[in-house]
Amino acid sequence: MKKLWSGRFQKETDRLVDDFHSSISFDCRLYRQDIQGSIAHARMLGRQGILTPEETRLIISGLEEVLADIESGRVEFSKEAEDIHMNVEQLLIAKIGEAGKKLHTARSRNDQVALDMRLYLKEEINELLGLFKELQVALLDLAEKHLTTIMPGYTHLQRAQPVTFAHHLLAYVQMFSRDMERLRDCYRRTDVLPLGAGALAGTTLPIDPHCVAQELGFSAVAENSLDAVSDRDFVVEFLAAAALVMVHLSRFGEEIVLWSSAEFGFLELDDAYSTGSSMMPQKKNPDVAELIRGKAGRVFGDLFTLLTVLKGLPLAYNKDLQEDKEALFDAVDTVKKCLLIFKPLLATLQVNTAKMARAARESFTNATDLADYLTGKGVPFRDAHRVVGEIVYYCLQENKTLEELTLEEYQKFSPAIKEDVYQFINIERCVRARRALGGPSPDEVRAAIARAREKIERVK
Ligand code: ARG
């Protein structure tokens, strides 16, 4: 078939070139947005008297048929037609003849592809927000069950102070809530109609982009035609937000890997969400969590791909921009898959609460509380810190916990220590007493869960 742009050419395109620059193998997934945009464009051309009512009707019904053909698998896209835009146009012309050749009036593939990408991304952001919402609810449900499940909190991966499993889970709720905000923010800048910018300099025809924006559900119309066709900031913003989502999922994945090791033993993954070894019969591996961690890399790569594509581009459209698609699709697919699997992975895992509590009790996670106790008795914190350090050293020699020391032993280190110390350093009390905003006390965490639920409910 002849190229839609063949007029100026004396030769056929070399097969290698067709293969090299054709994007249909990946932009075919934009067929729905492409047709949706074309229908709105045709309707506007009709309203403006640029097309006759009959041409408009033919084009719109032809496009609807093309859509139905594609959806029922009756269409084989052609590489020679380069991309989804020209494939659809060719299919339309084959169906309705002359009128089909008028669809591209006052439009270029440059504003068309920018439109398709924005329509696509808006839908995907909404889907991702829905998946995030479900994951957040699963996290909050799990947290609710573990308000009093004590575990060690860590710094430097060394047991540090007692927290609860609920409190730890809520840290991720916060990360994901910021991720959701970033996605919503990115949505606002994606929600701008570029159609009408033409190839780069708009059109001399009397188009009406505002009514196209309204029909397609855009909140604004691009203000500069050169920018409209060369702007991919919205994709970069999405990829940056997606990269951060993957950082969070990856950190969580890493903790799940650690916690399900025999060394920690805090968790056991459900059989349905773990895998075995081809050689070692005893193995049960946290592959899913590992793979989530591993997939972060490709999304970071997607972000870098696009930043690098954009950095040296003169205005306005350049073919380099075609490279935005695989990066965006890959990031969308990857984040979606990770969010989708994370929810049941969490909802089905077994928590070894006894092991978590033991880890908190065995490792002096209440040492700061003992120092706080001393400061309450008037000892300056710096001195209290040193005294407790000495007590811990003594316990290590004697193979005892702080709770196991006798009062006489305590008083050898500081006469300020009295009988009430035992109550003060009791792990449950240590957690309960951390009731400042954002702390692990069950009351505070319960309130934080309620606040998070309320916030989540507001996401449509
Ligand atoms: N397939 C192209 C892309 O993805 C569509 C726009 C082509 N425009 C052009 N002037 N060659 O960017």
Side-chain angles (χ1 to χ4, degrees):
M1 196 181 239
K2 271 223 166 308
K3 294 259 181 331
L4 291 177
W5 42 253
S6 62
R8 186 232 179 274
F9 288 76
Q10 301 298 309
K11 273 190 186 174
E12 295 280 296
T13 318
D14 189 281
R15 282 241 313 283
L16 282 175
V17 174
D18 274 336
D19 186 56
F20 185 67
H21 87 146
S22 164
S23 54
I24 189 63
S25 63
F26 48 88
D27 66 15
C28 57
R29 77 152 88 180
L30 296 173
Y31 74 86
R32 206 165 34 75
Q33 292 83 0
D34 197 72
I35 292 175
Q36 186 192 1
S38 288
I39 289 176
H41 180 66
R43 198 168 281 139
M44 179 277 291
L45 292 177
R47 235 181 344 248
Q48 298 299 102
I50 301 169
L51 295 180
T52 66
E54 179 55 9
E55 288 164 343
T56 310
R57 196 190 57 73
L58 270 173
I59 291 177
I60 292 175
S61 63
L63 285 168
E64 281 163 354
E65 279 176 41
V66 171
L67 178 65
D69 289 349
I70 296 173
E71 296 205 311
S72 63
R74 281 195 293 269
V75 168
E76 209 177 303
F77 291 118
S78 112
K79 201 182 269 181
E80 288 67 44
E82 279 182 48
D83 51 31
I84 188 62
H85 326 295
M86 293 207 294
N87 266 277
V88 168
E89 191 176 326
Q90 268 183 9
L91 290 164
L92 177 71
I93 294 168
K95 219 176 245 307
I96 66 167
E98 284 305 296
K101 297 186 191 163
K102 296 199 173 178
L103 170 63
H104 212 52
T105 309
R107 182 176 77 169
S108 156
R109 278 183 294 158
N110 299 350
D111 53 350
Q112 188 180 357
V113 71
L115 170 65
D116 293 3
M117 291 288 276
R118 286 173 185 269
L119 283 170
Y120 165 80
L121 188 54
K122 280 174 61 180
E123 284 175 32
E124 294 296 343
I125 288 177
N126 282 334
E127 266 203 46
L128 285 169
L129 287 172
L131 290 174
F132 253 128
K133 190 173 167 177
E134 285 181 32
L135 177 59
Q136 292 283 59
V137 169
L139 269 168
L140 292 168
D141 290 346
L142 187 60
E144 209 137 64
K145 289 192 210 135
H146 292 284
L147 286 166
T148 56
T149 302
I150 292 182
M151 67 180 279
Y154 293 81
T155 64
H156 312 269
L157 202 56
Q158 306 285 323
R159 294 172 189 170
Q161 289 178 339
V163 295
T164 66
F165 188 44
H167 185 56
H168 198 108
L169 292 172
L170 283 203
Y172 286 100
V173 169
Q174 289 301 318
M175 291 178 231
F176 295 146
S177 153
R178 291 194 296 275
D179 287 332
M180 293 174 80
E181 277 170 34
R182 268 184 286 272
L183 287 175
R184 280 198 289 268
D185 191 46
C186 163
Y187 186 97
R188 288 198 299 123
R189 277 176 297 282
T190 307
D191 193 19
V192 179
L193 179 89
L195 201 72
L200 72 159
T203 173
T204 55
L205 294 165
I207 58 166
D208 180 359
H210 287 283
C211 80
V212 178
Q214 204 179 14
E215 173 166 348
L216 293 175
F218 282 95
S219 308
V221 174
E223 301 245 358
N224 178 289
S225 63
L226 294 167
D227 181 48
V229 291
S230 49
D231 172 24
R232 293 294 183 276
D233 291 3
F234 64 102
V235 185
V236 172
E237 286 185 44
F238 173 80
L239 293 174
L244 215 35
V245 169
M246 292 307 296
V247 169
H248 297 151
L249 289 174
S250 175
R251 293 180 82 170
F252 207 165
E254 167 65 8
E255 296 208 300
I256 290 172
V257 170
L258 282 174
W259 292 346
S260 53
S261 69
E263 282 68 14
F264 275 82
F266 290 178
L267 300 179
E268 184 172 347
L269 291 175
D270 193 85
D271 277 5
Y273 295 96
S274 22
T275 45
S277 153
S278 63
M279 188 183 197
M280 300 168 282
Q282 84 284 13
K283 290 301 291 292
K284 177 167 170 180
N285 295 327
D287 285 36
V288 172
E290 292 166 59
L291 208 46
I292 286 169
R293 195 177 56 189
K295 283 185 187 292
R298 59 192 298 157
V299 177
F300 303 168
D302 295 330
L303 171 62
F304 259 75
T305 296
L306 190 60
L307 285 171
T308 312
V309 163
L310 293 175
K311 75 174 271 290
L313 285 190
L315 298 184
Y317 179 85
N318 299 270
K319 188 71 174 222
D320 316 42
L321 291 175
Q322 181 168 289
E323 290 290 313
D324 63 353
K325 278 167 213 64
E326 285 158 296
L328 178 61
F329 298 159
D330 181 68
V332 166
D333 293 347
T334 305
V335 173
K336 253 190 187 168
K337 273 189 204 159
C338 293
L339 288 176
L340 200 63
I341 203 159
F342 221 102
K343 185 188 137 185
L345 180 90
L346 278 179
T348 56
L349 52 77
Q350 292 294 319
V351 184
N352 190 338
T353 55
K355 198 101 190 242
M356 282 185 173
R358 200 172 330 127
R361 283 181 214 287
E362 277 169 357
S363 336
F364 307 102
T365 61
N366 49 357
T368 315
D369 299 83
L370 181 55
D372 288 347
Y373 169 85
L374 282 170
T375 49
K377 302 280 180 195
V379 180
F381 181 76
R382 198 39 67 214
D383 294 336
H385 185 287
R386 182 184 37 78
V387 169
V388 177
E390 287 163 8
I391 295 174
V392 167
Y393 184 75
Y394 173 81
C395 285
L396 288 169
Q397 308 305 304
E398 301 293 313
N399 198 20
K400 284 184 170 181
T401 66
L402 292 177
E403 291 87 335
E404 286 163 356
L405 290 187
T406 63
L407 193 56
E408 291 82 77
E409 286 176 300
Y410 268 127
Q411 287 180 341
K412 271 192 247 151
F413 291 95
S414 168
I417 300 180
K418 302 282 186 296
E419 188 61 42
D420 60 350
V421 71
Y422 296 104
Q423 201 196 326
F424 203 90
I425 61 170
N426 169 278
I427 290 279
E428 279 77 19
R429 194 215 67 94
C430 295
V431 170
R432 238 181 301 118
R434 290 178 151 76
R435 49 174 60 255
L437 183 76
S441 98
D443 285 344
E444 177 48 33
V445 173
R446 200 174 292 112
I449 291 176
R451 287 195 299 273
R453 284 207 196 275
E454 209 180 291
K455 194 166 170 187
I456 277 294
E457 276 319 306
R458 273 187 263 124
V459 178
K460 46 167 177 54

